[in-house]
């Protein structure tokens, strides 16, 4: 009898062939995995070497910024942003921001807003190139130009701090300033953020009769939700000593004594009155401001003097019985006309 029959030899050859076929398929699959694997051995900043950054044309960078590769796209955007904040390109950007041509101004605002707020650029040093006096000067001049455009009503919100006439482009400029201001408050003060811009800004509380311009800072803290961006800008300024000095100097913030007196007066008013400040009382529906913590009122000189005398009174009690008028020692009231 033959050691292998015809069927046995066939099965043996088929098994050997299947074994080598499986090994070949496994090897090919491993090669496919190696070829398609995304490796992160090199840092993102090294994808495009520093030597080639300067020779890449803008059209090439634009195509790279539209790449499906996240790393290539981020590297291209980084190069574009750094070029935009250096040299002549930066000077042109600030010049367009400062000009009164609305088309050029709008383009400059959009470009600057992208540079300072885009997440893809958050790890770059863009803001470090935009925290000097020329940058703040151009941005503040842009905001001053917007002040002149507060002519048409764009909002129906009744607020002591938010104008109804805010131009649409001003919102983007305020957002840019809010991002850049913490980088260098002294430079912004030198550029006139308070002396040139805020002193001219049409806060509704400053346009009322009597004017409450010196209460702007307090109102920003109380009504911050009406204008969160502007309130944040004031918050940054009041955290800097020179910012507080300029706010007081230009009448946007009262003195410390006046603020303490006003706080005491407001606390007394809270105990006696409601927490609603009515404006344009004829149309009470939609014209009232509801305040959660304090109520601002203007009192007569006699009422203010009386409240001060009350604060200066001394209360003495032996205990064990209710307080009465006899326990209160108060300065004698002097005739102010004498």
């Amino acid at each position: 009898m033959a050691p292998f029959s015809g069927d046995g030899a066939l099965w043996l050859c088929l098994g050997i062939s299947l074994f080598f076929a499986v090994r070949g398929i496994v090897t090919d699959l491993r090669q496919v995995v190696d070829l398609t694997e995304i490796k992160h051995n090199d840092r993102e900043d090294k994808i495009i070497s520093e030597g080639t950054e300067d020779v890449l044309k803008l059209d090439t960078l634009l195509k790279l910024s539209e790449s499906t590769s996240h790393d290539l796209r981020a590297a291209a955007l980084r190069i574009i942003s750094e070029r935009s904040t250096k040299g002549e390109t930066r000077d042109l950007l600030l010049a367009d921001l400062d000009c009164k041509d609305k088309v050029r101004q709008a383009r400059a605002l959009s470009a600057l807003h992208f540079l300072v707020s885009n997440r893809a650029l958050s790890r770059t040093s863009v803001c470090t190139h935009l925290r000097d006096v020329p940058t703040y000067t151009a941005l503040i001049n842009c905001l001053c130009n917007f002040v002149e455009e507060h002519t048409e009503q764009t909002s129906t919100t009744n607020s002591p701090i938010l104008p109804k006439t805010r131009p649409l482009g001003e919102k983007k400029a305020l957002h840019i300033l809010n991002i850049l201001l913490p980088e260098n408050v002294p430079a912004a003060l030198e550029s006139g953020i308070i002396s040139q811009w805020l002193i001219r800004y049409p806060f509704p509380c400053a346009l009322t009769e009597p004017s409450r311009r010196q209460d702007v800072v307090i109102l920003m803290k109380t009504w911050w939700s009406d204008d969160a961006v502007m309130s944040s800008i004031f918050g940054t300024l009041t955290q800097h000593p020179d910012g507080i000095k300029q706010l007081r100097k230009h009448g946007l913030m009262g003195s410390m004594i006046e603020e303490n007196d006003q706080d005491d007066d407001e606390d007394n008013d809270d105990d006696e009155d409601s927490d609603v400040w009515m404006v344009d009382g004829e149309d009470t529906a939609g014209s009232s401001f509801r305040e959660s913590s304090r109520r601002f009122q203007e009192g007569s000189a006699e009422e203010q003097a009386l409240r001060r005398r009350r604060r200066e009174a001394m209360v003495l009690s032996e205990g064990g019985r209710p307080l009465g008028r006899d326990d209160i020692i108060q300065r004698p009231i002097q005739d102010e006309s004498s």
Side-chain angles (χ1 to χ4, degrees), residues 52-72:
T52 61
E53 289 183 3
D54 296 335
V55 298
L56 287 174
K57 295 182 178 180
L58 188 59
D59 293 340
T60 303
L61 291 172
L62 180 60
K63 293 180 180 179
L64 290 175
S65 66
E66 299 173 351
S67 172
T68 56
S69 171
H70 172 76
D71 294 335
L72 282 175

PDB file of all heavy atoms in Angstrom, residues 52-72:
ATOM      1  N   THR A  52      12.418  76.876   6.493  1.00  0.00           N
ATOM      2  CA  THR A  52      11.510  76.992   5.349  1.00  0.00           C
ATOM      3  C   THR A  52      10.338  77.923   5.597  1.00  0.00           C
ATOM      4  O   THR A  52       9.593  78.237   4.667  1.00  0.00           O
ATOM      5  CB  THR A  52      10.963  75.599   4.984  1.00  0.00           C
ATOM      6  OG1 THR A  52      10.241  75.080   6.117  1.00  0.00           O
ATOM      7  CG2 THR A  52      12.084  74.651   4.631  1.00  0.00           C
ATOM      8  N   GLU A  53      10.143  78.373   6.841  1.00  0.00           N
ATOM      9  CA  GLU A  53       8.992  79.216   7.144  1.00  0.00           C
ATOM     10  C   GLU A  53       9.032  80.519   6.358  1.00  0.00           C
ATOM     11  O   GLU A  53       8.014  80.983   5.848  1.00  0.00           O
ATOM     12  CB  GLU A  53       8.932  79.509   8.638  1.00  0.00           C
ATOM     13  CG  GLU A  53       8.545  78.312   9.480  1.00  0.00           C
ATOM     14  CD  GLU A  53       8.426  78.674  10.947  1.00  0.00           C
ATOM     15  OE1 GLU A  53       8.598  79.870  11.268  1.00  0.00           O
ATOM     16  OE2 GLU A  53       8.154  77.777  11.768  1.00  0.00           O
ATOM     17  N   ASP A  54      10.206  81.127   6.278  1.00  0.00           N
ATOM     18  CA  ASP A  54      10.313  82.438   5.645  1.00  0.00           C
ATOM     19  C   ASP A  54      10.159  82.383   4.131  1.00  0.00           C
ATOM     20  O   ASP A  54       9.814  83.396   3.516  1.00  0.00           O
ATOM     21  CB  ASP A  54      11.663  83.080   6.007  1.00  0.00           C
ATOM     22  CG  ASP A  54      11.770  83.362   7.494  1.00  0.00           C
ATOM     23  OD1 ASP A  54      10.699  83.514   8.134  1.00  0.00           O
ATOM     24  OD2 ASP A  54      12.898  83.410   8.017  1.00  0.00           O
ATOM     25  N   VAL A  55      10.431  81.220   3.535  1.00  0.00           N
ATOM     26  CA  VAL A  55      10.363  81.127   2.069  1.00  0.00           C
ATOM     27  C   VAL A  55       9.007  80.649   1.591  1.00  0.00           C
ATOM     28  O   VAL A  55       8.729  80.690   0.385  1.00  0.00           O
ATOM     29  CB  VAL A  55      11.464  80.184   1.535  1.00  0.00           C
ATOM     30  CG1 VAL A  55      12.827  80.726   1.888  1.00  0.00           C
ATOM     31  CG2 VAL A  55      11.296  78.769   2.074  1.00  0.00           C
ATOM     32  N   LEU A  56       8.153  80.188   2.488  1.00  0.00           N
ATOM     33  CA  LEU A  56       6.824  79.745   2.078  1.00  0.00           C
ATOM     34  C   LEU A  56       5.971  80.941   1.676  1.00  0.00           C
ATOM     35  O   LEU A  56       5.867  81.917   2.407  1.00  0.00           O
ATOM     36  CB  LEU A  56       6.142  78.982   3.223  1.00  0.00           C
ATOM     37  CG  LEU A  56       6.681  77.586   3.521  1.00  0.00           C
ATOM     38  CD1 LEU A  56       6.017  77.022   4.769  1.00  0.00           C
ATOM     39  CD2 LEU A  56       6.444  76.655   2.343  1.00  0.00           C
ATOM     40  N   LYS A  57       5.372  80.854   0.505  1.00  0.00           N
ATOM     41  CA  LYS A  57       4.518  81.934   0.032  1.00  0.00           C
ATOM     42  C   LYS A  57       3.154  81.857   0.710  1.00  0.00           C
ATOM     43  O   LYS A  57       2.746  80.833   1.231  1.00  0.00           O
ATOM     44  CB  LYS A  57       4.365  81.849  -1.481  1.00  0.00           C
ATOM     45  CG  LYS A  57       5.663  82.074  -2.244  1.00  0.00           C
ATOM     46  CD  LYS A  57       5.418  82.025  -3.735  1.00  0.00           C
ATOM     47  CE  LYS A  57       6.714  82.293  -4.508  1.00  0.00           C
ATOM     48  NZ  LYS A  57       6.490  82.257  -5.973  1.00  0.00           N
ATOM     49  N   LEU A  58       2.449  82.973   0.667  1.00  0.00           N
ATOM     50  CA  LEU A  58       1.149  83.044   1.317  1.00  0.00           C
ATOM     51  C   LEU A  58       0.156  82.073   0.684  1.00  0.00           C
ATOM     52  O   LEU A  58      -0.665  81.473   1.396  1.00  0.00           O
ATOM     53  CB  LEU A  58       0.608  84.477   1.240  1.00  0.00           C
ATOM     54  CG  LEU A  58      -0.662  84.759   2.046  1.00  0.00           C
ATOM     55  CD1 LEU A  58      -0.444  84.460   3.514  1.00  0.00           C
ATOM     56  CD2 LEU A  58      -1.111  86.193   1.840  1.00  0.00           C
ATOM     57  N   ASP A  59       0.221  81.907  -0.645  1.00  0.00           N
ATOM     58  CA  ASP A  59      -0.681  80.961  -1.299  1.00  0.00           C
ATOM     59  C   ASP A  59      -0.441  79.541  -0.808  1.00  0.00           C
ATOM     60  O   ASP A  59      -1.389  78.772  -0.606  1.00  0.00           O
ATOM     61  CB  ASP A  59      -0.496  81.031  -2.817  1.00  0.00           C
ATOM     62  CG  ASP A  59      -0.948  82.363  -3.391  1.00  0.00           C
ATOM     63  OD1 ASP A  59      -1.731  83.052  -2.696  1.00  0.00           O
ATOM     64  OD2 ASP A  59      -0.513  82.720  -4.497  1.00  0.00           O
ATOM     65  N   THR A  60       0.836  79.208  -0.611  1.00  0.00           N
ATOM     66  CA  THR A  60       1.162  77.869  -0.107  1.00  0.00           C
ATOM     67  C   THR A  60       0.648  77.688   1.315  1.00  0.00           C
ATOM     68  O   THR A  60       0.085  76.640   1.660  1.00  0.00           O
ATOM     69  CB  THR A  60       2.684  77.655  -0.144  1.00  0.00           C
ATOM     70  OG1 THR A  60       3.154  77.852  -1.484  1.00  0.00           O
ATOM     71  CG2 THR A  60       3.040  76.248   0.311  1.00  0.00           C
ATOM     72  N   LEU A  61       0.832  78.701   2.140  1.00  0.00           N
ATOM     73  CA  LEU A  61       0.340  78.622   3.511  1.00  0.00           C
ATOM     74  C   LEU A  61      -1.184  78.528   3.544  1.00  0.00           C
ATOM     75  O   LEU A  61      -1.750  77.843   4.409  1.00  0.00           O
ATOM     76  CB  LEU A  61       0.800  79.843   4.306  1.00  0.00           C
ATOM     77  CG  LEU A  61       2.305  79.922   4.601  1.00  0.00           C
ATOM     78  CD1 LEU A  61       2.649  81.267   5.214  1.00  0.00           C
ATOM     79  CD2 LEU A  61       2.730  78.791   5.520  1.00  0.00           C
ATOM     80  N   LEU A  62      -1.844  79.207   2.613  1.00  0.00           N
ATOM     81  CA  LEU A  62      -3.297  79.142   2.559  1.00  0.00           C
ATOM     82  C   LEU A  62      -3.765  77.724   2.239  1.00  0.00           C
ATOM     83  O   LEU A  62      -4.725  77.222   2.849  1.00  0.00           O
ATOM     84  CB  LEU A  62      -3.824  80.126   1.510  1.00  0.00           C
ATOM     85  CG  LEU A  62      -5.346  80.175   1.335  1.00  0.00           C
ATOM     86  CD1 LEU A  62      -6.013  80.581   2.645  1.00  0.00           C
ATOM     87  CD2 LEU A  62      -5.729  81.132   0.208  1.00  0.00           C
ATOM     88  N   LYS A  63      -3.076  77.076   1.313  1.00  0.00           N
ATOM     89  CA  LYS A  63      -3.436  75.687   0.989  1.00  0.00           C
ATOM     90  C   LYS A  63      -3.158  74.762   2.168  1.00  0.00           C
ATOM     91  O   LYS A  63      -3.938  73.850   2.452  1.00  0.00           O
ATOM     92  CB  LYS A  63      -2.656  75.227  -0.247  1.00  0.00           C
ATOM     93  CG  LYS A  63      -3.065  75.949  -1.524  1.00  0.00           C
ATOM     94  CD  LYS A  63      -2.254  75.460  -2.724  1.00  0.00           C
ATOM     95  CE  LYS A  63      -2.676  76.191  -3.996  1.00  0.00           C
ATOM     96  NZ  LYS A  63      -1.879  75.748  -5.171  1.00  0.00           N
ATOM     97  N   LEU A  64      -2.029  74.995   2.856  1.00  0.00           N
ATOM     98  CA  LEU A  64      -1.711  74.163   4.021  1.00  0.00           C
ATOM     99  C   LEU A  64      -2.726  74.371   5.149  1.00  0.00           C
ATOM    100  O   LEU A  64      -3.032  73.436   5.900  1.00  0.00           O
ATOM    101  CB  LEU A  64      -0.303  74.490   4.525  1.00  0.00           C
ATOM    102  CG  LEU A  64       0.857  74.055   3.624  1.00  0.00           C
ATOM    103  CD1 LEU A  64       2.182  74.559   4.180  1.00  0.00           C
ATOM    104  CD2 LEU A  64       0.885  72.537   3.477  1.00  0.00           C
ATOM    105  N   SER A  65      -3.241  75.593   5.265  1.00  0.00           N
ATOM    106  CA  SER A  65      -4.223  75.858   6.320  1.00  0.00           C
ATOM    107  C   SER A  65      -5.551  75.159   6.061  1.00  0.00           C
ATOM    108  O   SER A  65      -6.375  75.026   6.978  1.00  0.00           O
ATOM    109  CB  SER A  65      -4.462  77.365   6.448  1.00  0.00           C
ATOM    110  OG  SER A  65      -5.080  77.876   5.279  1.00  0.00           O
ATOM    111  N   GLU A  66      -5.773  74.712   4.819  1.00  0.00           N
ATOM    112  CA  GLU A  66      -6.986  73.974   4.476  1.00  0.00           C
ATOM    113  C   GLU A  66      -6.738  72.472   4.410  1.00  0.00           C
ATOM    114  O   GLU A  66      -7.613  71.712   3.993  1.00  0.00           O
ATOM    115  CB  GLU A  66      -7.521  74.465   3.127  1.00  0.00           C
ATOM    116  CG  GLU A  66      -7.904  75.949   3.122  1.00  0.00           C
ATOM    117  CD  GLU A  66      -8.255  76.441   1.738  1.00  0.00           C
ATOM    118  OE1 GLU A  66      -8.034  75.669   0.777  1.00  0.00           O
ATOM    119  OE2 GLU A  66      -8.747  77.578   1.619  1.00  0.00           O
ATOM    120  N   SER A  67      -5.577  72.045   4.875  1.00  0.00           N
ATOM    121  CA  SER A  67      -5.225  70.626   4.835  1.00  0.00           C
ATOM    122  C   SER A  67      -6.081  69.823   5.803  1.00  0.00           C
ATOM    123  O   SER A  67      -6.561  70.331   6.819  1.00  0.00           O
ATOM    124  CB  SER A  67      -3.741  70.443   5.168  1.00  0.00           C
ATOM    125  OG  SER A  67      -3.418  69.079   5.324  1.00  0.00           O
ATOM    126  N   THR A  68      -6.250  68.528   5.480  1.00  0.00           N
ATOM    127  CA  THR A  68      -6.991  67.639   6.385  1.00  0.00           C
ATOM    128  C   THR A  68      -6.154  67.242   7.595  1.00  0.00           C
ATOM    129  O   THR A  68      -6.694  66.744   8.581  1.00  0.00           O
ATOM    130  CB  THR A  68      -7.425  66.371   5.634  1.00  0.00           C
ATOM    131  OG1 THR A  68      -6.268  65.735   5.064  1.00  0.00           O
ATOM    132  CG2 THR A  68      -8.407  66.718   4.520  1.00  0.00           C
ATOM    133  N   SER A  69      -4.854  67.459   7.524  1.00  0.00           N
ATOM    134  CA  SER A  69      -3.971  67.153   8.650  1.00  0.00           C
ATOM    135  C   SER A  69      -4.053  68.279   9.677  1.00  0.00           C
ATOM    136  O   SER A  69      -3.784  69.445   9.365  1.00  0.00           O
ATOM    137  CB  SER A  69      -2.528  66.989   8.168  1.00  0.00           C
ATOM    138  OG  SER A  69      -1.648  66.901   9.274  1.00  0.00           O
ATOM    139  N   HIS A  70      -4.416  67.928  10.879  1.00  0.00           N
ATOM    140  CA  HIS A  70      -4.525  68.936  11.934  1.00  0.00           C
ATOM    141  C   HIS A  70      -3.182  69.601  12.218  1.00  0.00           C
ATOM    142  O   HIS A  70      -3.111  70.819  12.430  1.00  0.00           O
ATOM    143  CB  HIS A  70      -5.058  68.279  13.212  1.00  0.00           C
ATOM    144  CG  HIS A  70      -5.030  69.183  14.404  1.00  0.00           C
ATOM    145  ND1 HIS A  70      -5.945  70.205  14.595  1.00  0.00           N
ATOM    146  CD2 HIS A  70      -4.168  69.246  15.460  1.00  0.00           C
ATOM    147  CE1 HIS A  70      -5.666  70.842  15.719  1.00  0.00           C
ATOM    148  NE2 HIS A  70      -4.599  70.283  16.274  1.00  0.00           N
ATOM    149  N   ASP A  71      -2.108  68.826  12.204  1.00  0.00           N
ATOM    150  CA  ASP A  71      -0.785  69.374  12.509  1.00  0.00           C
ATOM    151  C   ASP A  71      -0.320  70.363  11.445  1.00  0.00           C
ATOM    152  O   ASP A  71       0.207  71.433  11.762  1.00  0.00           O
ATOM    153  CB  ASP A  71       0.224  68.231  12.641  1.00  0.00           C
ATOM    154  CG  ASP A  71      -0.077  67.341  13.832  1.00  0.00           C
ATOM    155  OD1 ASP A  71      -0.720  67.840  14.773  1.00  0.00           O
ATOM    156  OD2 ASP A  71       0.317  66.162  13.827  1.00  0.00           O
ATOM    157  N   LEU A  72      -0.522  70.010  10.161  1.00  0.00           N
ATOM    158  CA  LEU A  72      -0.132  70.924   9.082  1.00  0.00           C
ATOM    159  C   LEU A  72      -0.978  72.201   9.126  1.00  0.00           C
ATOM    160  O   LEU A  72      -0.462  73.305   8.930  1.00  0.00           O
ATOM    161  CB  LEU A  72      -0.292  70.231   7.723  1.00  0.00           C
ATOM    162  CG  LEU A  72       0.799  69.238   7.321  1.00  0.00           C
ATOM    163  CD1 LEU A  72       0.429  68.559   6.018  1.00  0.00           C
ATOM    164  CD2 LEU A  72       2.144  69.945   7.178  1.00  0.00           C
TER     165      LEU A  72
END
